[in-house]
């Protein structure tokens, strides 16, 4: 994007004008994302990124926790004794925290670092090359955009995203991916898909069901990889990298670089999820809370903005069988007279349509409660 044009757009975005939609469209039409604003040399936040006053006031009322997120070592998973330990630790983390990290998960560190590097290269290449992928069409397999809820949220978030969707179709042709991150993305997707299957087996055991129950329900089938780029922010106290939200999936596996910034709510306090070299962050998502009938927790989380950057992260959302539609609801083995179903049945498409029709900070879970 030409710098003179970028600076003009930045001026429009910061103007004292009540027409927020006009400002959002001006930003969206650049197809340059937040990275384009940084390239234009901005030194203060455009108005559309500044959080409402009531949010900032509410922020001051939420404490900060020094609690340590559970870290689960997956080594020795084939040994009966070690597997019992892993399942026990995973059950406790899923019931009490909703978040945990895994180490010794079998994915080479070179694959993780390669994915971080490839995604950074995609976002930092020339804007004209990225524009080819810019779209808000959620049916596109590969798309680049800034803020999936740009036109629904009260304040835009300080991030851009490359999305790789394997929801409607389980296969992806290599040439559908950007050349700059093609080989690293394919390698990473294959490894994470395998790890996801392993985790669903462990989660089934943690729910005291047959090991293959969740996989048989096709919870691991649809996957979406969302590859975020959070540039350094000139005024991080006024905005967020990602608003507080829960995930519209069964399970999320997150790869994050060394910078940090991810936080989740634990005992009504924001708790940091510090990066661990070679580690991956796992969180229980909404659909697993539903099928487990509230045994496992899907908790709110967010990403704070930072003066240091860029921060790179890659979230893999295991969404389940969306195409063709499959009916989901609390697992029958977990329902009894003493523990009746808390949620109605639904399809993944119904859940996603509800989620994407609003700002991501508005929970959808209540809509499906009985």
């Amino acid at each position: 994007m030409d710098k003179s044009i970028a600076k003009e757009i930045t001026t429009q975005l910061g103007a004292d004008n009540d027409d927020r939609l006009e400002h959002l469209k001006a930003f969206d039409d650049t197809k340059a994302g937040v990275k384009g604003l940084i390239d234009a040399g901005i030194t203060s936040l455009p108005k559309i990124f500044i959080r409402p006053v009531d949010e900032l006031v509410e922020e001051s009322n939420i404490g900060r926790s020094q609690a340590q997120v559970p870290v689960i070592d997956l080594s020795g998973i084939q040994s009966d004794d070690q597997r019992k330990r892993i399942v026990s630790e995973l059950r406790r983390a899923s019931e009490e925290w909703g978040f945990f990290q895994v180490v010794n998960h079998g994915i080479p560190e070179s694959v993780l670092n390669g994915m971080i590097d490839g995604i950074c290269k995609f976002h930092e290449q020339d804007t004209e090359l990225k524009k080819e992928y810019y779209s808000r069409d959620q049916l596109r397999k590969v798309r680049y955009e800034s803020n999936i809820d740009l036109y629904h949220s009260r304040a835009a978030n300080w991030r851009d995203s490359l999305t790789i969707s394997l929801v409607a179709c389980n296969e992806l042709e290599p040439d559908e991916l950007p050349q700059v991150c093609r080989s690293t993305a394919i390698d990473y997707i294959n490894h994470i898909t395998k790890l996801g299957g392993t985790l669903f087996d462990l989660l089934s055991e943690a729910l005291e069901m047959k090991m293959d129950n969740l996989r048989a329900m096709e919870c691991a089938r649809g996957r979406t990889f969302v590859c975020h780029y959070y540039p350094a922010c000139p005024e991080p106290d006024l905005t967020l990298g990602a608003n507080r939200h829960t995930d519209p999936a069964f399970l999320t596996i997150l790869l994050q670089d060394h910078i940090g910034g991810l936080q989740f709510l634990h005992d009504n306090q924001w708790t940091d999820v510090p990066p661990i070299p070679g580690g991956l962050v796992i969180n229980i998502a909404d659909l697993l809370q539903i099928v487990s009938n509230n045994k496992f927790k899907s908790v709110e989380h967010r990403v704070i903005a930072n003066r240091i950057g860029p921060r790179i992260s890659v979230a893999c959302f295991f969404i389940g069988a969306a195409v063709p539609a499959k009916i989901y609801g609390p697992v029958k083995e977990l329902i009894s007279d003493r523990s009746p179903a808390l949620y109605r049945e639904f399809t993944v498409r119904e859940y996603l349509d509800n989620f994407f029709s609003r700002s991501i900070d508005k929970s959808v879970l209540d809509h499906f409660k009985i």
Side-chain angles (χ1 to χ4, degrees):
M1 178 169 58
D2 182 89
K3 287 198 173 184
S4 62
I5 296 175
K7 288 179 179 177
E8 176 60 27
I9 292 294
T10 303
T11 300
Q12 292 179 30
L13 294 175
D16 185 13
N17 190 319
D18 289 333
D19 193 354
R20 177 174 171 78
L21 183 59
E22 181 181 327
H23 296 166
L24 292 171
K25 194 170 187 315
F27 170 70
D28 203 16
D29 286 348
T30 69
K31 300 184 178 181
V34 175
K35 177 67 165 57
L37 299 177
I38 294 296
D39 292 343
I42 67 159
T43 56
S44 61
L45 278 184
K47 187 177 178 180
I48 62 170
F49 292 93
I50 298 176
R51 298 168 69 190
V53 173
D54 62 306
E55 275 191 23
L56 296 172
V57 170
E58 181 186 359
E59 178 79 12
S60 65
N61 296 323
I62 300 179
R64 299 291 184 275
S65 171
Q66 299 302 313
Q68 301 294 310
V69 62
V71 178
I72 301 176
D73 185 345
L74 296 184
S75 59
I77 197 171
Q78 302 305 325
S79 157
D80 286 346
D81 288 343
Q82 287 300 318
R83 192 176 186 94
K84 286 179 183 177
R85 171 197 51 89
I86 292 168
V87 169
S88 176
E89 291 179 6
L90 190 147
R91 178 187 299 114
R92 182 179 176 188
S94 301
E95 290 177 349
E96 299 179 10
W97 295 77
F99 261 78
F100 54 94
Q101 300 203 61
V102 294
V103 295
N104 296 320
H105 42 64
I107 302 179
E109 204 159 339
S110 59
V111 173
L112 306 181
N113 293 338
M115 187 61 171
I116 292 287
D117 185 57
I119 296 309
C120 187
K121 285 178 178 176
F122 170 82
H123 285 286
E124 294 188 346
Q125 67 184 327
D126 187 89
T127 301
E128 292 305 314
L129 295 174
K130 290 189 291 186
K131 280 184 178 179
E132 172 188 349
Y133 296 95
Y134 198 91
S135 174
R136 295 200 173 275
D137 180 1
Q138 292 182 29
L139 296 180
R140 280 189 61 166
K141 275 186 174 180
V142 180
R143 70 180 189 276
Y144 150 67
E145 65 191 329
S146 187
N147 285 259
I148 194 168
D149 61 345
L150 182 67
Y151 294 100
H152 296 295
S153 63
R154 299 178 70 196
N157 289 159
W158 198 251
R159 75 172 188 276
D160 300 326
S161 307
L162 171 68
T163 298
I164 303 167
S165 176
L166 293 169
V167 175
C169 178
N170 208 33
E171 300 297 328
L172 192 68
E173 294 298 326
D175 60 6
E176 293 179 281
L177 291 165
Q179 189 277 330
V180 71
C181 59
R182 183 175 299 158
S183 61
T184 54
I186 291 171
D187 203 11
Y188 182 77
I189 287 169
N190 290 336
H191 277 91
I192 289 295
T193 299
K194 182 178 178 182
L195 176 61
T198 299
L199 289 171
F200 276 112
D201 288 347
L202 293 168
L203 288 163
S204 288
E205 292 180 66
L207 288 169
E208 300 180 338
M209 302 189 300
K210 291 181 181 177
M211 185 180 75
D212 64 349
N213 259 31
L214 292 175
R215 273 216 259 192
M217 292 166 58
E218 299 184 286
C219 298
R221 182 173 161 194
R223 291 147 293 145
T224 298
F225 293 80
V226 185
C227 313
H228 296 304
Y229 181 93
Y230 302 86
C233 181
E235 296 179 289
D237 293 339
L238 297 180
T239 192
L240 285 170
N243 287 332
R244 59 191 293 174
H245 64 283
T246 57
D247 293 340
F250 284 94
L251 193 71
T252 303
I253 300 179
L254 180 81
L255 167 66
Q256 59 175 341
D257 69 8
H258 64 285
I259 290 178
L262 174 64
Q263 299 178 327
F264 70 101
L265 270 182
H266 181 65
D267 292 335
N268 203 36
Q269 293 185 312
W270 287 117
T271 305
D272 290 327
V273 185
I276 297 177
L280 291 165
V281 181
I282 315 295
N283 68 273
I284 304 300
D286 290 355
L287 307 188
L288 190 50
Q289 175 170 323
I290 292 176
V291 300
S292 72
N293 208 36
N294 274 6
K295 292 187 184 301
F296 289 169
K297 280 190 194 177
S298 175
V299 300
E300 289 187 306
H301 50 284
R302 68 177 188 176
V303 177
I304 59 173
N306 202 318
R307 290 188 185 277
I308 302 169
R311 174 185 184 263
I312 308 295
S313 71
V314 180
C316 173
F317 302 103
F318 287 88
I319 291 176
V323 181
K326 185 180 181 72
I327 303 294
Y328 288 103
V331 177
K332 288 182 172 53
E333 293 94 318
L334 303 178
I335 298 172
S336 66
D337 290 340
R338 298 179 64 182
S339 180
L342 301 174
Y343 299 91
R344 66 175 176 82
E345 293 185 330
F346 64 96
T347 64
V348 171
R349 176 48 54 197
E350 181 186 6
Y351 201 92
L352 293 177
D353 285 347
N354 269 275
F355 182 86
F356 290 118
S357 68
R358 61 188 80 193
S359 172
I360 65 169
D361 63 347
K362 305 299 181 187
S363 175
V364 181
L365 276 170
D366 286 348
H367 182 76
F368 294 88
K369 283 184 177 177
I370 295 175

